[in-house]
Amino acid sequence: MAVVLDKSHRWRVAAAHVGLICFIALTLAPFLMLLSISLRPGNFATGELIPTVISLDHWKLALGISYQGADGQLIEPDFPVLGWLWNSVKVAGLSALIALLLSTTCAYAFARMKFAFKPQLMTSLLLLQMFPSVLVLVGIYAIFDRIGTYVPGLGINSHGGLILAYTGGIALHIWTIKGYFETIPTEIEEAAKVDGASPFQAFRYVLLPMSLPILMVVFILAFINGINEYPIASILVQSQDQLTLAVGSKQFLYPQHYRWGDFAAAAILSGLPITVVFLMAQRWMISGLTAGGVKG
Amino acid sequence: MSDVVLRGIRKSFGEIETLHGIDLDIKDGEFVVFVGPSGCGKSTLLRTIAGLEDITSGDLHIGGERCNDVPPAKRGVAMVFQSYALYPHMTVAENMAFGLKLAGVSKDEMKQAVDRAAKILQIEHLLERKPKALSGGQRQRVAIGRAIVRKPNVFLFDEPLSNLDAALRVQMRIEITKLHRELKTTMIYVTHDQVEAMTLADRIVVLSAGNVEQVGAPLELYHHPRNLFVAGFIGSPKMNFIQGTLLSGSETLATVKLADGAQVQVQVDASRGKVGSAVTLGIRPEHFVVDAQGNKIAGQVIAAEHLGEATIYYVHVEGAQDHLVVRAHAEHDAKAGETLHVGAAPSDCYLFDDAGLAFQRVKNS
């Protein structure tokens, strides 16, 4: 690095750093507030950022441990927060897996196969999913209500139904994966076909291993969506032990009493699985997987 | 090992037909090169033989079996791609063994086959590497190795050397010839480089715009091109063409009058030529003799290239397409702007009628 730099360069770098630090502080502030609220005694939204007294009551409640209240009474946790977390992980994980399976095969068809109305189908996929799901909530409810009469495991108030509902939203994933497939030279699969591979084998042994990074990205996006989703989960799942964390933690907030502290602890908890999944997936999200296959 | 027979092969992409009925017989163990300018359909033809493109109409037989509807995997062919097309996530050994693995061959056999191919191609020390860590030449060797391992009946090469540098290309050319001698397998090779075609082929198939122009041994195409296209395509630098009119034609000799009035004699069977009709005289750069007697053409030197072993002159002559390219002795030293008198022996000249078809040359070689 021996590039000649302008004299003002140092100041511009410094200014850029100041700007970036401000920006990071701005993004981190809500999270830090949340952390602070979850550690403060009492259920107040406002207050100092660094609590003077640290109380683990909210966390004990969230983790299902009973604790002694201010009046000396033993307080039992009233909500199964850890159960909700598990529900969220289960629903998000399974729906992300199924979504990945469907969108990968679908994207393969769109990227590699020839059939009539391909562009129209691609566009309509995207158009249909542009409507916010909130607008069709009633429809979704009616459909799953009906499904439930035939297959109870997929009806209202079942995780199967919720997974099925989430799996429907794969149009964007199909577009994402298709875009990636199209950057992979077709010669490599052709070579596999001449080598004796059936189309499925060429897909499974050659195309998929080269597409790992985008598959991981799509899995994470689908997983995050599953953890965060509120509207559909709020109508499809009703009994308390079946709720996902996103819907369940809303129960801490009722008009007479906003239990901000408990809510904050539950909210931070919901971020955990996302972080874990991201850290695990990261090792596969590397570039250059296709390097060396063809002359660049 | 198999012969390959093509009968009236046509290929259309939508409305556009790119192969217009190709007939070809490739004998068992033969090395055939498809050559032609880009877009002539040579790669498409190869891909239809591989099964990567379906055949619109016509019949393809490999080893006596009709293969139109047989998937590539079951045709007994192996293909080497221009871009190598290695599996980037597999090691060299895995790349080469992939076909066998799919066929359910045992691990020992697989290892044996890979080792044998690696030995032939001298890539034994690379077996554990990923393609990313190989040079272009090494990658192409792996691609060829992958083809060898499967012991195919027919090898298909799609411009395998065009991504390599000049020195490596010459080396790989020799190795492919060696490989063919050792394996004695039918090989079909596509290239746009006529030098590769001349040096590798038992027989060359010259293609142009989806048609076969001529099929023949390399020297046969050089000495007896059927038409203007083949004459211009085979040979480097390419043949010079000069317009003229036929003054007289017998079974052994034709006399041609050029635009500047000079008369040139050509040893061809011109008995079918009409006196007074337009003809094209063809002379290869290497057949020109500077300051010659007999057939004489005069022109102005535009540029001279001294290559060391020869001097190439670019000469402006009336009636010639572009300018003439003349290959002269290395010592010859004419400056740009000077007038050069060149000529060629009547037995070295070619003559084509107004439809571009060659008059049969009398001289044989």
Side-chain angles (χ1 to χ4, degrees):
Chain A
M1 274 292 280
V3 180
V4 178
L5 296 171
D6 200 86
K7 283 230 172 71
S8 66
H9 181 77
R10 270 174 60 191
W11 297 111
R12 277 186 282 143
V13 169
H17 275 84
V18 170
L20 285 174
I21 289 167
C22 289
F23 183 74
I24 290 170
L26 213 63
T27 357
L28 277 181
F31 179 76
L32 293 177
M33 289 293 278
L34 203 66
L35 193 65
S36 160
I37 293 168
S38 78
L39 290 173
R40 278 197 307 246
N43 279 300
F44 306 104
T46 52
E48 66 277 27
L49 187 59
I50 300 165
T52 42
V53 185
I54 294 212
S55 145
L56 293 177
D57 291 354
H58 304 308
W59 279 97
K60 280 184 180 160
L61 204 68
L63 297 174
I65 308 165
S66 42
Y67 66 98
Q68 207 122 50
D71 48 359
Q73 235 181 335
L74 198 67
I75 297 177
E76 293 281 345
D78 44 0
F79 296 123
V81 178
L82 280 185
W84 293 340
L85 182 66
W86 169 240
N87 290 344
S88 282
V89 171
K90 190 173 82 176
V91 168
L94 282 176
S95 66
L97 263 186
I98 298 173
L100 191 62
L101 201 74
L102 292 178
S103 53
T104 310
T105 41
C106 196
Y108 177 78
F110 277 117
R112 290 291 194 258
M113 292 177 174
K114 285 178 202 151
F115 49 89
F117 304 115
K118 194 158 91 171
Q120 290 86 342
L121 278 171
M122 277 304 281
T123 316
S124 54
L125 259 183
L126 200 62
L127 281 177
L128 281 175
Q129 295 231 314
M130 284 201 324
F131 296 100
S133 54
V134 182
L135 299 184
V136 289
L137 274 185
V138 187
I140 290 179
Y141 182 86
I143 289 171
F144 280 91
D145 190 42
R146 180 58 64 87
I147 292 177
T149 57
Y150 299 104
V151 191
L154 294 178
I156 299 293
N157 209 18
S158 73
H159 286 161
L162 195 54
I163 290 170
L164 186 62
Y166 287 171
T167 318
I170 58 169
L172 273 179
H173 302 328
I174 294 173
W175 273 86
T176 312
I177 299 177
K178 173 186 168 273
Y180 193 86
F181 281 170
E182 281 170 350
T183 65
I184 296 178
T186 48
E187 284 111 317
I188 300 182
E189 285 156 81
E190 286 178 347
K193 280 178 192 161
V194 177
D195 253 353
S198 66
F200 181 76
Q201 283 172 321
F203 169 70
R204 165 71 189 77
Y205 294 120
V206 177
L207 188 62
L208 276 195
M210 289 192 284
S211 315
L212 256 188
I214 201 69
L215 301 186
M216 284 301 142
V217 168
V218 165
F219 180 83
I220 290 174
L221 288 177
F223 186 80
I224 292 178
N225 178 58
I227 294 275
N228 289 350
E229 206 281 336
Y230 184 85
I232 296 179
S234 72
I235 60 146
L236 284 191
V237 180
Q238 288 151 348
S239 63
Q240 202 178 76
D241 60 327
Q242 295 273 43
L243 295 181
T244 60
L245 191 57
V247 180
S249 44
K250 178 76 167 48
Q251 307 222 337
F252 289 119
L253 312 174
Y254 35 92
Q256 297 86 351
H257 189 190
Y258 271 45
R259 291 161 61 180
W260 284 121
D262 302 339
F263 179 82
I268 293 175
L269 222 48
S270 76
L272 264 179
I274 296 177
T275 314
V276 171
V277 165
F278 182 78
L279 288 178
M280 285 196 307
Q282 212 177 21
R283 45 184 289 238
W284 288 294
M285 286 163 65
I286 37 170
S287 61
L289 266 190
T290 56
V294 297
K295 175 81 179 179
Chain B
M1 285 195 237
S2 296
D3 57 338
V4 179
V5 178
L6 284 71
R7 285 283 170 267
I9 298 283
R10 286 174 185 276
K11 173 70 193 169
S12 306
F13 293 98
E15 300 273 289
I16 303 155
E17 190 175 83
T18 51
L19 299 176
H20 312 295
I22 307 274
D23 291 301
L24 202 58
D25 286 277
I26 298 169
K27 290 193 280 289
D28 187 14
E30 198 175 20
F31 199 128
V32 170
V33 175
F34 295 169
V35 67
S38 43
C40 71
K42 55 191 190 297
S43 278
T44 308
L45 186 58
L46 192 77
R47 289 168 60 85
T48 57
I49 297 174
L52 294 172
E53 302 284 353
D54 56 353
I55 295 167
T56 309
S57 77
D59 291 311
L60 167 70
H61 294 269
I62 300 177
E65 191 193 345
R66 188 172 183 272
C67 282
N68 284 40
D69 304 313
V70 178
K74 295 193 177 137
R75 293 189 181 197
V77 300
M79 185 154 165
V80 177
F81 292 80
Q82 177 177 13
S83 61
Y84 323 137
L86 300 177
Y87 312 125
H89 55 293
M90 300 184 195
T91 64
V92 167
E94 286 168 341
N95 259 285
M96 287 165 64
F98 184 67
L100 299 181
K101 198 172 132 195
L102 291 175
V105 171
S106 77
K107 276 234 170 76
D108 288 341
E109 263 179 82
M110 220 144 77
K111 194 175 162 352
Q112 244 172 17
V114 169
D115 287 346
R116 193 181 69 108
K119 205 173 155 200
I120 294 176
L121 295 163
Q122 293 153 22
I123 48 173
E124 290 145 300
H125 59 294
L126 304 174
L127 285 178
E128 294 314 312
R129 290 207 204 159
K130 291 265 176 78
K132 191 164 43 172
L134 303 180
S135 70
Q138 289 170 332
R139 284 181 203 173
Q140 198 52 280
R141 273 164 208 265
V142 174
I144 294 173
R146 183 171 63 183
I148 294 176
V149 163
R150 294 189 58 231
K151 292 196 184 144
N153 297 322
V154 182
F155 275 100
L156 307 175
F157 293 93
D158 188 5
E159 308 210 21
L161 306 186
S162 53
N163 276 334
L164 304 179
D165 63 49
L168 206 54
R169 214 177 302 161
V170 174
Q171 193 195 336
M172 287 300 288
R173 213 159 69 197
I174 295 166
E175 289 193 26
I176 290 176
T177 314
K178 236 172 71 191
L179 195 70
H180 180 240
R181 215 171 41 227
E182 279 170 33
L183 301 176
K184 297 185 179 63
T185 311
T186 313
M187 290 189 178
I188 305 177
Y189 188 107
V190 163
T191 180
H192 63 265
D193 180 353
Q194 55 94 18
V195 178
E196 253 173 53
M198 296 291 282
T199 49
L200 285 169
D202 293 331
R203 276 197 305 158
I204 296 178
V205 178
V206 182
L207 289 155
S208 157
N211 289 304
V212 173
E213 295 288 341
Q214 192 171 357
V215 183
L219 287 183
E220 189 188 330
L221 298 193
Y222 180 85
H223 291 298
H224 299 286
R226 188 190 290 164
N227 54 32
L228 274 173
F229 180 82
V230 178
F233 197 80
I234 300 290
S236 172
K238 69 194 279 268
M239 189 188 282
N240 299 292
F241 296 120
I242 308 164
Q243 307 300 334
T245 44
L246 192 63
L247 281 188
S248 70
S250 73
E251 278 174 14
T252 54
L253 199 70
T255 308
V256 179
K257 187 174 159 225
L258 303 183
D260 62 354
Q263 290 189 10
V264 176
Q265 294 195 315
V266 186
Q267 275 188 20
V268 290
D269 176 3
S271 50
R272 69 179 169 89
K274 255 196 294 191
V275 171
S277 65
V279 289
T280 306
L281 173 71
I283 305 173
R284 294 196 184 277
E286 58 269 33
H287 290 152
F288 271 121
V289 183
V290 179
D291 304 327
Q293 305 298 311
N295 284 343
K296 256 190 195 169
I297 302 163
Q300 239 183 3
V301 175
I302 302 169
E305 290 176 348
H306 298 279
L307 301 180
E309 90 274 12
T311 300
I312 306 283
Y313 289 116
Y314 297 88
V315 182
H316 175 75
V317 170
E318 239 180 282
Q321 295 175 357
D322 285 340
H323 39 254
L324 296 192
V325 180
V326 177
R327 193 182 159 98
H329 271 296
E331 297 83 40
H332 201 278
D333 190 21
K335 298 277 179 292
E338 284 180 28
T339 303
L340 200 65
H341 293 275
V342 292
S347 59
D348 283 336
C349 297
Y350 300 71
L351 196 65
F352 305 89
D353 64 18
D354 50 359
L357 290 176
F359 289 103
Q360 179 65 40
R361 295 176 76 206
V362 174
K363 178 196 165 190
N364 282 309
S365 49

